[in-house]
Amino acid sequence: MTAPRVILGIAGASGAALGLSVARQLRALGAEVDLVVSPAAERTLQAECGADALQWLGAMATRTHSVRDIGASIASGSVPVAGMIVAPCSMRSLAAIAHGLDDNLLTRAAGVQLKERRRLVLLPREAPLTLAHLRNMTAVAEMGAILLPPVPAFYLLPVSVQDITDQIAARAIDLLGVAKPIALQWSDDEPGLAERVVGDL
Ligand SMILES: Cc1cc2nc3c(=O)[nH]c(=O)nc-3n(C[C@H](O)[C@H](O)[C@H](O)COP(=O)(O)O)c2cc1C
């Protein structure tokens, strides 16, 4: 089987580590990763993940595209990719995708996934949410995007922020349907875990 080609967009919402985790896990699966990072995301990556984060991401990616390069390969539906994950997705990029603006390479590539009926998984991060945010989420869902808000899987009893981040990133990858599922799965065979948490209260 040939390696799936996946676009990873990182927009300037908090949760930049989600993008790093998606990149690392896609790479571990052997996927080709086309990376596009917005200018605001460059700032959140530096603020939340450190000065080397952008360079590290570049090393994970098969191809890194400038967000201004509206003529990049991934701007065209003629280039076969399996789908796209935007992790995290800012409310600005969400709005641009919801309204079909295609105003930079990240939002253009997302729009291409929608028009080609390919998987588009968005990890929108904002709190609390305005009516505009909710309406834009409804609009992209109606167009076929999958919304995966980066909320913790509390039922898996994560012990670190890294656990939470990796699980959300793994679920985003699983939603693309390009490989065997990698996310941790709930098992009702282990009730002792929940008992332990309750015992700590
Ligand atoms: C440190 C930091 C954290 C931010 N967190 C969020 C956030 O969680 N959600 C959001 O929608 N915007 C957030 N923003 C604002 C966006 O970066 C801003 O709206 C930007 O225009 C988004 O551009 P982009 O969609 O091209 O990445 C944050 C900005 C900074 C500097």
Side-chain angles (χ1 to χ4, degrees), residues 10-15 38-41 43-44 47-48 67 89-94 104 106-107 125-127 133:
I10 305 183
S14 188
S38 78
R43 183 163 171 175
T44 52
E48 298 178 355
V67 77
C89 183
S90 68
M91 294 303 107
R92 196 212 72 81
S93 286
L94 170 72
N104 64 35
L106 191 156
T107 56
R125 208 236 67 106
E126 189 51 277
H133 301 150

Side-chain angles (χ1 to χ4, degrees), residues 10-11 13-24 37 40-57 87-88 161-162 165-166:
I10 305 183
S14 188
L18 291 161
L20 299 186
S21 183
V22 170
R24 178 171 44 76
V37 178
E42 290 185 13
R43 183 163 171 175
T44 52
L45 278 162
Q46 177 158 12
E48 298 178 355
C49 304
D52 298 336
L54 197 57
Q55 198 182 353
W56 183 91
L57 265 173
V161 174
Q162 190 70 52
T165 306
D166 286 345

Side-chain angles (χ1 to χ4, degrees), residues 46-78:
Q46 177 158 12
E48 298 178 355
C49 304
D52 298 336
L54 197 57
Q55 198 182 353
W56 183 91
L57 265 173
M60 287 289 123
T62 315
R63 298 170 203 86
T64 300
H65 307 279
S66 164
V67 77
R68 290 180 301 279
D69 185 7
I70 208 66
S73 55
I74 57 171
S76 172
S78 65

